[in-house]
Amino acid sequence: MTDLVEPKATEIVYETEEPILYAVEDGVAWITMNRPGFNNAQNGQMTYALDDAFQRAVNDDDVRCIVLAGQGKHFSAGHDIGTPGRDLHKDFDRRLMFGRHVNRPAAELLYTREQEQYLGMCRRWREAPKPTVAMVQGACIAGGLMLAWVCDLIIASDDAFFQDPVVRMGIPGVEYFAHAFELPPRIAKEFLLLGERMTAQRAEQFGMVNRIVPRDKLREETAAVAAKLAAQPRLGAWLTKQAVNHVEELRGKRTAMEAVFHMHHFAHAQNDLTSDNSLGGLDAKSMASANKKQAGE
């Protein structure tokens, strides 16, 4: 989620020119979010670098599996709503069939941007023809969920947790609305309405997480799983992904996301009309404070 009425004069200060690290080891591409100082909060710079990395891995015939990871203590704290590198009003070379967002008025700006950078990009990565694994440690919050959920498998550390607290902003979940597909409906409602942290252990019970290991064994276990995936026949792996994804589409995943995406942006517009911004007056600091208070920290 991003602030629709943020002053355009705000200076963007990127703390790194490498928001994504990329390496290939034994047929596995390791794509690592590299904003650990901001808990890998996703700005436009990172999102487009992620897309570059996924495309690079797909184009490389020697890569047979893709791992998505986060540098530092946490996998991802979600969308960037408060760092010096927050780049809401920056134009990027677009990858999908949407126009520029920076010259759009009012709610159209956010609606256009998030069609590409959030919903569109996530769908694009989900359809990568190679097996993908999310390696999740620490926090996987809001926009972080989207990045983990587009992957075929999720391997989590025993201290990982998952959370989507944006109902606090009056918003019905993050843009890539897979909640009711990742979780049973009543659990999805609890997850969203209460906005509480879900432990990796509980997430595993519902099939949202494949494996849980101690944090110091996380990379080792992920590498072992990735090696097995990389050894599978290339076409067989791709067809298997398509088969399961097709079943999800038959269950209405894509149409559900389309509907909720519009609810999401109605909520942003309502916030703009009733408060001082599209996030209902909340920012990164206030959201983090509320999350910690709710968790008893």
Side-chain angles (χ1 to χ4, degrees), residues 5 169-170 266-281:
V5 295
M169 300 173 172
F266 171 73
H268 276 314
Q270 174 72 358
N271 281 339
D272 268 326
L273 290 170
T274 59
S275 68
D276 63 350
N277 66 35
S278 61
L279 303 182

Side-chain angles (χ1 to χ4, degrees), residues 160-173:
F161 66 89
F162 304 85
Q163 185 180 22
D164 192 355
V166 300
V167 169
R168 190 180 299 140
M169 300 173 172
I171 297 169

Side-chain angles (χ1 to χ4, degrees), residues 200-275:
Q201 292 75 16
R202 190 165 191 233
E204 185 185 35
Q205 292 175 10
F206 301 119
M208 195 172 89
V209 165
N210 296 93
R211 300 186 184 186
I212 302 172
V213 294
R215 183 183 279 238
D216 62 357
K217 300 292 185 182
L218 182 59
R219 184 179 175 90
E220 178 184 336
E221 179 67 14
T222 303
V225 169
K228 291 180 181 179
L229 291 172
Q232 298 286 23
R234 178 174 56 202
L235 181 58
W238 184 15
L239 292 175
T240 299
K241 285 190 60 164
Q242 290 186 71
V244 178
N245 287 354
H246 180 61
V247 171
E248 286 191 308
E249 305 303 0
L250 290 175
R251 292 174 178 167
K253 187 172 186 177
R254 187 177 186 90
T255 53
M257 283 188 183
E258 294 288 351
V260 178
F261 185 77
H262 288 87
M263 297 178 199
H264 181 104
H265 282 277
F266 171 73
H268 276 314
Q270 174 72 358
N271 281 339
D272 268 326
L273 290 170
T274 59
S275 68

